[in-house]
Structure formats: C-alpha cells, structure tokens
Amino acid sequence: MADASCVSTTPPSVNKAWIYREHGETAHVLKFETNVAVPQIKEDQVLIKVVAAALNPIDAKRILGLFRATDTALPTVPGFDVAGVVVKLGSKASKFNIGDEVYGDINEEGSINLKKFGTLAEYTAAEERLLALKPTNLSFVEAASLPMAMETAYEGLERVGLSAGQSILVLGGAGGLGTHVIQLAKHVFGASRVAATASTKKLDLLRSLGADLAIDYTEESVEDLPEKFDVVFDAVGQSDKAVQAVKEEGRVVTIFGPITPPAFMFVLTSTGSNLEKLKPYLESGKVKPVLDPTGPYPFSKTLEAFAHLQTSRAAGKVVVYPIP
C-alpha cells in the first residue's frame, strides 16, 4: 500500500511514468517508461512526489484524442488527481513547505489547457492554488480518490442551487462522482431527501452513503417514478431522462451531453479552496472516500486499472500508487 515514509525530498532528474505518444485506445498506446524527465516547476508551482493517483473517465477520453483542439502536443503523461509530498517549491510558492502532504486535481480548467505532464508518474508539478493539505485521517490512496469527483460534486450542487430542505435525485449514484454527490447533498447542503440510481448489487452502497431512496435502474425507470425532485444531478450523461424526473420549477445539472433543456452542463474549475472548505466534513467522517473494491492498483497495473474503469462497473474511485 502507498506510504510516504520512504519519500525522498531530493528529486531526481528523471522518473518513471506512463506516457502516450499517439492517440488511441489506452491499452494500445499508453506505455510505461523509466527515463522520463521530471517536470520543471514554474514560479507558482510545487513539485510533488506522487504517492497515489486516481484515474478518471476523462483520462481515457483524452488518450483517445477527444480533446485535440485544446490539448497539449504529444507526448503526454495523463492524470488529474494526485496525493503526495511536496519536494520542491517555485520561487513565488508560499502556501506549502517542503515535506507537506497535499492533494488536488492539477488541471484547473477541465479539458482546457491540460497539462502535458500529469499525475501518472513518480513526480508531477502543480500550481499551489490547486492543492490543499491532505486531511490527516485519510491515507494517500483515499485522498487521491477525492479531488476531481468531490470538487465536481460540490461545484455542481452549488451551480444548481441545492438548498437545505430540498429533494435531489442522483443518476449514477455508485460511480466516482455520484458517491460524492449523495454525501455532499445530504451532509453539506442539507437535502431533506436524497434518491439515487445504481444497479442491483450497488443499492446497499447508496444507502450507506446517505441515500433515502435507492433505485435499481435495471428494474425501474426514473422517467416513470411517481415522485418528482427539486434537483436532479445527472452523473451519467442521461439528461433526457433526468428532465422527466424533476419538478416543474426544478433544476437539472449534467456533466456531459447531449443536453436536453432545461438541463445545463458545466465544466469543473479545480481549486484547492473547495478542498479546504470540505476538510472538516472529511475529518469528521461525514464525507468519506469511496474506493472501488478491486483496487488500489500498483503502478505497474495501471493498464488493468484503466480496463476496469472503462467497463463502467467501478463502484467508487479507481486509484493507482507508484510507491510500493
């Protein structure tokens, strides 16, 4: 399991990383290389010794080439989410100290201005404004699972205007994003009733996270539910179904299209400040990391981890750890 006790604060000039030099299916183009240059940090960045990194569906989409128009030139080291130890500071970096344990999503603007050097490496660089101190009660693996999913859930719930006493339906409640939407809606935003969909085997997970109503989408259609909701959070790209489950004056938010009005889509803006806002809920245990039970995966098994993620059967987040 990932452990920071063996982290050296003197970074080498080269490191091991997963890298792709052409676009295509992850299994075919993502390669493990042992002599990749450690990224040079800018004045507002810190260099992080990676202890754990989470995989996200956007990683596979990027490797396929779906973001060519806004992406950096190849070759690329993928990866958004990281937890690790600060080993070097940029000249104007003042938020952290050498040795601090941090976590965050290192790509600030969703699929725009993506970093050429991501988190699937032994070292990565990130602007300190995107990072926060790791809660002490969480392991590095647990912390790495959080940033993109938890920040997306938080920003989406803010944008859709969920307020205390309202009801919400979460489409895709057992996925990396949905598990956090349920928890934040219940414990941070004060929803009075949380419903969520999942397959039969994952209904108990939904209930354990705070869902008042766990809906088996293999047996029930959300369009036909007798109950309508103040808010629907679509985490699976089915806004055509989501808009049929919302109250007449309700609101629907989704994270990818096609978009069926009145649903709207947003793209996450990563920021360490939101991680800091949620830190008390993580430390109290009200909001918990949800890790897929097949993992975490050792760094050498990153392709297997991607293969599992791409089955769309993961429950919670899929995490890899470079440090044995």
Side-chain angles (χ1 to χ4, degrees):
M1 186 64 69
D3 179 11
S5 61
C6 54
V7 170
S8 168
T9 56
T10 304
S13 58
V14 296
N15 71 158
K16 300 170 184 175
W18 288 92
I19 190 167
Y20 60 97
R21 300 180 180 276
E22 61 180 322
H23 292 295
E25 294 289 343
T26 302
H28 298 146
V29 301
L30 188 62
K31 307 295 183 183
F32 182 66
E33 298 189 9
T34 59
N35 199 38
V36 179
V38 170
Q40 298 296 309
I41 58 172
K42 299 176 182 178
E43 60 182 16
D44 63 340
Q45 292 183 325
V46 298
L47 187 68
I48 304 164
K49 179 68 174 87
V50 178
V51 184
L55 306 185
N56 292 283
I58 194 173
D59 290 309
K61 294 176 182 178
R62 184 186 184 190
I63 294 169
L64 272 174
L66 300 186
F67 306 120
R68 281 187 179 94
T70 56
D71 209 344
T72 52
L74 298 175
T76 298
V77 173
F80 285 67
D81 288 328
V82 67
V85 179
V86 174
V87 294
K88 188 176 181 180
L89 304 175
S91 61
K92 294 186 177 180
S94 58
K95 183 177 178 180
F96 302 110
N97 298 310
I98 301 294
D100 280 351
E101 299 177 352
V102 298
Y103 74 127
D105 170 0
I106 72 167
N107 284 297
E108 187 168 16
E109 302 174 273
S111 60
I112 302 171
N113 297 323
L114 293 169
K115 284 185 169 60
K116 186 179 181 68
F117 206 103
T119 61
L120 292 182
E122 292 180 299
Y123 292 86
T124 195
E127 291 77 11
E128 60 177 4
R129 67 179 177 273
L130 306 183
L131 305 170
L133 289 172
K134 180 182 74 65
T136 55
N137 61 313
L138 299 184
S139 69
F140 282 95
V141 166
E142 289 171 329
S145 75
L146 294 171
M148 177 181 281
M150 189 170 69
E151 289 184 67
T152 300
Y154 184 79
E155 184 174 336
L157 291 170
E158 277 204 324
R159 284 176 177 263
V160 81
L162 180 68
S163 57
Q166 290 187 321
S167 61
I168 182 172
L169 169 64
V170 185
L171 300 189
L177 173 57
T179 54
H180 288 292
V181 177
I182 293 170
Q183 294 184 84
L184 296 189
K186 191 77 171 183
H187 302 299
V188 179
F189 288 81
S192 60
R193 183 164 171 80
V194 178
T197 67
S199 59
T200 311
K201 293 181 180 179
K202 299 174 183 175
L203 298 179
D204 285 341
L205 171 62
L206 304 187
R207 298 184 187 101
S208 73
L209 296 173
D212 303 292
L213 176 63
I215 302 165
D216 186 343
Y217 68 74
T218 69
E219 299 288 340
E220 292 185 85
S221 171
V222 295
E223 306 99 299
D224 299 328
L225 291 174
E227 180 180 358
K228 302 300 179 185
F229 299 86
D230 295 306
V231 168
V232 180
F233 197 124
D234 169 29
V236 292
Q238 295 179 349
S239 65
D240 56 329
K241 296 182 179 181
V243 298
Q244 297 181 61
V246 72
K247 292 179 180 178
E248 187 172 339
E249 298 299 322
R251 299 166 305 283
V252 179
V253 62
T254 186
I255 57 167
F256 57 92
I259 310 301
T260 302
F264 70 91
M265 182 178 72
F266 77 100
V267 176
L268 170 67
T269 300
S270 172
T271 169
S273 63
N274 281 345
L275 295 177
E276 290 161 0
K277 287 179 189 176
L278 295 169
K279 186 176 182 181
Y281 297 95
L282 294 166
E283 290 182 331
S284 68
K286 288 184 177 179
V287 175
K288 301 175 182 178
V290 182
L291 301 174
D292 183 81
T294 66
Y297 292 78
F299 202 44
S300 61
K301 301 291 185 181
T302 295
L303 290 180
E304 288 86 342
F306 266 115
H308 178 62
L309 178 68
Q310 291 177 272
T311 65
S312 298
R313 294 174 184 162
K317 291 303 295 283
V318 177
V319 180
V320 299
Y321 55 98
I323 291 181

